[in-house]
Amino acid sequence: MILIWPLFKLKYMDNWSSIESTFIADARMLKENLPHPGWQPYWYCGTRWDFVYPPALRYGTALLSTVFPILPARAYHLYTAILYCLGIGGVYLLFRLGSGSRRGAWMSAALVATLSPCFMFIESSRNEAAVSFWVPQRLSVLLRYGEGPHISALAMLGFALAFSFVALRAWRPKALAAAGIASALVVSNNFYGATALALFFPMVVWAIWVTHQERAIWLRAAAIAALAYGLTASWLSPSYLLMTRENLRLVADPGNPKHLVLFIVFLLVFALVSWCCVKGRRDLDWLLFLVGSFLLISVYVLGNHYLSFQVFGVPLRLMPEFDLFFLLLAADLLRRLWNRTASQDVRMLLVIAVTGLASLYASPYIRNAWSIYPREANYKNHIEYKITEWIHANLPDARAFTSGSVRFWYNAWFNGAQVGGGSDQGLLNPVLVHPQYQLAAGDDLNLSVLWMQATGADIAIVHDKNSTEQYHDYAFPQKFASLPLLWDSGAGDRIYQVPRRFPGLARVVDSASVARLKPFPEGESNERLREYVDVIENGPDSPAPSRLEGMDVLRVKARVAAGQSVVVLETFDPAWRAYSGTHALPVRKDTLNFMLIDVPPGEHDLRLVFETPIENRLGYGVTLLTLCAVLYLLFGARPRRI
């Protein structure tokens, strides 16, 4: 706690390129809409709230901000600081319960808190560390890149593996319940943490089964997995998993099938060798787990770095996990060497050597632990705040196209819709990938305007090379100069008005024209885009004003004639329902994955409601039953006596 004390008090770091803005914005919106919104109308032209990110950090930050009360930014840093400290405790607990050694547990916790062996192997991380006092990688990515969810999940990983060791070795119902809870917390914080759990939990199971040879171990392992899934079933729905798999293509290289085969061969060879060498050796389950986990994470991370070995995900994101198992194995080997050395002089030399070597690399960080934090920033002086404040005051109902760090921070202080979002997690409408690229990289203004009209954007927020915005994504910012200028910072930031026939997200359209539209292809199709915009912008002369009511309800007033329908430029989802008075109206998906509503002739006050999907309702039931099972394991079931 002492080493990271500034993190407990921090509000805004002067690090505006950090993705932590996503989680701060997310928590602020959740705080205002507790207990749980079903829809997120401000990002990606709408998406399911659950799809954006796992819930633990979002709820933890929102609840901290509500209870104390403090700014969401302060609450985010407080949450990550608390879990960072707990994570070091989790390392201690894992080593203590796995090996039975208190001395080794203290040593492993101290090593993980201060050292990063990945610096020896990965040049990019070493170069970053060399100019920042050799800050451990797990803390560096937290501060530099906003990896709060990942590091929070890593903090829970130690507890999940520690309790799994106890629960798998013998029937210990409390440990079984704790392993399920901790595993659920890993997944509920971050999917990279979940990836690590998916790698290491099977290694725990294998190590204990090979050395103990009890069939009940498989049943206990299945019970832990079932508890973990049951506790997350309310949000970890099948459609979430499918959507996440699709979104992964946007942020990670696809796995190489040949590399996957090699990875499986490696696992089989390891299984065969371990079976032959340590079968029935109960005293070696901990060592087998450490050796297997270290080899596994080395192949996954270092194989990718040196050989471009790509199985799944982004392997270099798991450098903190590599550090963890390198140091756990090193601490265990040192413990065993200590125990086998009878001479006090040799032991003293061992202590001096280890302490001196660790201090050599850890001392720059320890001596400068409080100076590594970016200075506290007055957020109101930054362009990310100035732009969103002006829009909130002057165009609160506008949907914006924005980019870079302004996109990341767009909802950190105010509500406001954008075509993009805090990050690309949870993108329900795959068509929206095209305007992000076209507006930022393309030089064709007409095509850019078509995309903004098609996605309901009222304004474009543009930055040139003189702007203090962090990323400068626009390759041709001058292309927007002919659009009406609404605001100019005088320092390279401008807000332009998008020419649209009517404001708002709803359009009365000719049903026959909509029916003639052809499906939008996988790749970008400029002709199909022009046809779509012609239908929604040049249709009947009948405005259809719309407004949000909370997060889950959209109201539309429309005068509809025979042969006409209503298009709402909000992403379609099967859980949307449309009502005119008490009459339910059919909602369909149009060619750009927005909502198309079949409306009878007349004046209508349409009420569009996002209702809880059936898979989530079933998930609530599964989670409730799982909680009952957890309570029984904690307070009703009895352990087996040995």
Side-chain angles (χ1 to χ4, degrees):
M1 179 183 290
I2 294 175
L3 289 175
I4 66 162
W5 179 246
L7 189 60
F8 283 88
K9 303 183 295 180
L10 194 62
K11 299 183 184 71
Y12 293 96
M13 294 190 294
D14 196 8
N15 184 14
W16 299 92
S17 61
S18 171
I19 196 65
E20 72 176 24
S21 53
T22 292
F23 314 117
I24 293 170
D26 215 0
R28 183 198 64 79
M29 289 183 282
L30 179 58
K31 175 183 176 181
E32 295 178 358
N33 293 276
L34 289 169
H36 185 78
W39 190 251
Q40 162 55 296
Y42 301 124
W43 291 357
Y44 320 126
C45 296
T47 189
R48 290 192 192 183
W49 179 266
D50 287 341
F51 283 8
V52 173
Y53 216 83
L57 181 139
R58 308 163 84 188
Y59 272 92
T61 303
L63 292 174
L64 284 172
S65 181
T66 301
V67 170
F68 281 107
I70 52 179
L71 290 172
R74 169 78 189 281
Y76 166 78
H77 291 123
L78 179 60
Y79 178 92
T80 55
I82 292 171
L83 265 71
Y84 190 95
C85 293
L86 285 175
I88 304 303
V91 173
Y92 173 90
L93 189 67
L94 174 58
F95 200 103
R96 181 76 174 87
L97 296 181
S99 69
S101 170
R102 182 178 289 106
R103 182 184 294 112
W106 280 113
M107 179 169 56
S108 63
L111 292 175
V112 170
T114 55
L115 296 176
S116 277
C118 69
F119 297 156
M120 296 187 295
F121 302 96
I122 299 175
E123 184 179 5
S124 58
S125 64
R126 180 168 64 249
N127 292 339
E128 289 181 353
V131 296
S132 59
F133 307 110
W134 302 99
V135 176
Q137 183 71 6
R138 64 165 56 199
L139 183 59
S140 176
V141 296
L142 174 63
L143 298 178
R144 188 185 298 268
Y145 304 116
E147 289 276 2
H150 177 193
I151 302 307
S152 298
L154 176 60
M156 293 294 102
L157 179 65
F159 291 98
L161 298 176
F163 292 130
S164 294
F165 254 99
V166 177
L168 293 173
R169 281 170 171 166
W171 171 243
R172 293 288 185 268
K174 287 183 173 61
L176 191 74
I181 293 170
S183 298
L185 286 172
V186 172
V187 178
S188 296
N189 271 286
N190 175 259
F191 278 151
Y192 282 105
T195 300
L197 182 63
L199 290 172
F200 301 130
F201 178 73
M203 194 61 71
V204 175
V205 178
W206 177 255
I208 295 176
W209 184 75
V210 168
T211 56
H212 287 63
Q213 294 288 290
E214 295 179 6
R215 285 180 292 179
I217 291 170
W218 297 106
L219 295 177
R220 295 171 199 149
I224 293 172
L227 290 174
Y229 177 74
L231 292 171
T232 60
S234 61
W235 61 273
L236 194 59
S237 62
S239 59
Y240 188 161
L241 294 174
L242 290 173
M243 181 276 308
T244 300
R245 185 186 68 179
E246 292 300 313
N247 281 192
L248 191 61
R249 296 187 302 175
L250 302 175
V251 296
D253 294 329
N256 186 314
K258 294 181 181 179
H259 295 173
L260 178 59
V261 171
L262 291 174
F263 193 63
I264 293 172
V265 170
F266 159 74
L267 294 176
L268 292 174
V269 171
F270 173 80
L272 179 62
V273 172
S274 59
W275 174 270
C276 295
C277 295
V278 300
K279 178 184 177 183
R281 294 285 305 276
R282 294 192 171 207
D283 59 314
L284 293 180
D285 59 355
W286 170 246
L287 181 61
L288 177 60
F289 164 69
L290 289 182
V291 171
S293 297
F294 173 69
L295 291 175
L296 185 66
I297 195 64
S298 297
V299 169
Y300 186 75
V301 174
L302 299 185
N304 177 264
H305 178 66
Y306 290 108
L307 304 173
S308 299
F309 190 76
Q310 180 68 26
V311 182
F312 54 84
V314 185
L316 291 183
R317 296 285 289 273
L318 265 62
M319 283 191 288
E321 284 78 2
F322 172 83
D323 286 344
L324 172 63
F325 280 94
F326 185 105
L327 294 171
L328 284 173
L329 181 59
D332 193 68
L333 294 177
L334 289 170
R335 174 184 70 90
R336 293 173 186 274
L337 180 60
W338 174 277
N339 291 338
R340 292 188 179 187
T341 302
S343 170
Q344 292 298 321
D345 292 338
V346 174
R347 286 186 171 184
M348 183 60 66
L349 289 174
L350 182 63
V351 170
I352 294 173
V354 172
T355 304
L357 185 62
S359 299
L360 177 66
Y361 289 100
S363 60
Y365 164 57
I366 294 173
R367 287 186 286 107
N368 297 278
W370 289 12
S371 65
I372 64 175
Y373 294 86
R375 63 182 177 84
E376 188 83 22
N378 184 350
Y379 63 92
K380 293 186 178 181
N381 292 335
H382 287 263
I383 192 62
E384 290 79 7
Y385 178 83
K386 291 178 179 179
I387 284 179
T388 54
E389 181 190 37
W390 186 89
I391 293 172
H392 176 71
N394 297 277
L395 298 168
D397 298 323
R399 177 180 283 174
F401 183 88
T402 185
S403 66
S405 57
V406 172
R407 172 189 174 187
F408 288 171
W409 289 92
Y410 196 78
N411 296 109
W413 304 283
F414 309 105
N415 292 333
Q418 53 174 317
V419 175
S423 58
D424 284 327
Q425 292 102 334
L427 183 63
L428 185 58
N429 188 345
V431 172
L432 298 179
V433 173
H434 302 309
Q436 296 287 347
Y437 172 79
Q438 176 55 232
L439 269 78
D443 61 354
D444 188 334
L445 174 63
N446 292 328
L447 190 57
S448 296
V449 169
L450 286 174
W451 270 118
M452 289 189 286
Q453 291 173 331
T455 55
D458 301 293
I459 55 176
I461 303 171
V462 181
H463 315 279
D464 64 26
K465 64 181 181 180
N466 299 312
S467 171
T468 57
E469 187 275 325
Q470 300 291 301
Y471 288 96
H472 301 96
D473 288 336
Y474 288 104
F476 303 97
Q478 68 277 5
K479 72 180 177 182
F480 296 93
S482 61
L483 296 180
L485 180 64
L486 300 178
W487 182 83
D488 189 341
S489 69
D493 313 281
R494 298 172 182 87
I495 300 176
Y496 296 99
Q497 184 176 4
V498 178
R500 302 182 69 208
R501 187 177 185 185
F502 303 116
L505 301 179
R507 293 289 187 271
V508 176
V509 296
D510 181 72
S511 300
S513 298
V514 172
R516 286 193 295 270
L517 292 173
K518 297 178 182 179
F520 208 83
E522 277 286 324
E524 191 171 343
S525 174
N526 297 342
E527 184 58 35
R528 299 279 174 85
L529 177 63
R530 291 186 179 92
E531 292 171 356
Y532 185 86
V533 172
D534 183 62
V535 169
I536 66 171
E537 287 296 308
N538 299 314
D541 188 17
S542 180
S546 61
R547 74 178 190 280
L548 276 171
E549 292 183 354
M551 303 280 276
D552 299 332
V553 177
L554 182 65
R555 300 298 289 260
V556 176
K557 290 187 177 181
R559 184 178 70 253
V560 180
Q564 296 177 351
S565 305
V566 174
V567 166
V568 179
L569 302 177
E570 189 81 4
T571 300
F572 171 84
D573 188 279
W576 276 108
R577 301 290 182 268
Y579 302 93
S580 179
T582 59
H583 297 286
L585 302 173
V587 182
R588 296 180 286 131
K589 183 191 301 186
D590 75 4
T591 56
L592 255 63
N593 299 318
F594 293 128
M595 288 188 281
L596 175 62
I597 306 169
D598 297 324
V599 182
E603 295 276 352
H604 294 276
D605 185 358
L606 302 177
R607 185 170 180 266
L608 279 67
V609 182
F610 183 82
E611 299 182 353
T612 304
I614 185 65
E615 59 185 348
N616 293 98
R617 297 180 191 179
L618 293 173
Y620 295 150
V622 172
T623 297
L624 181 60
L625 291 174
T626 306
L627 286 172
C628 293
V630 167
L631 291 174
Y632 170 74
L633 291 170
L634 290 174
F635 303 108
R638 295 184 178 182
R640 187 184 72 186
R641 295 183 179 180
I642 299 177

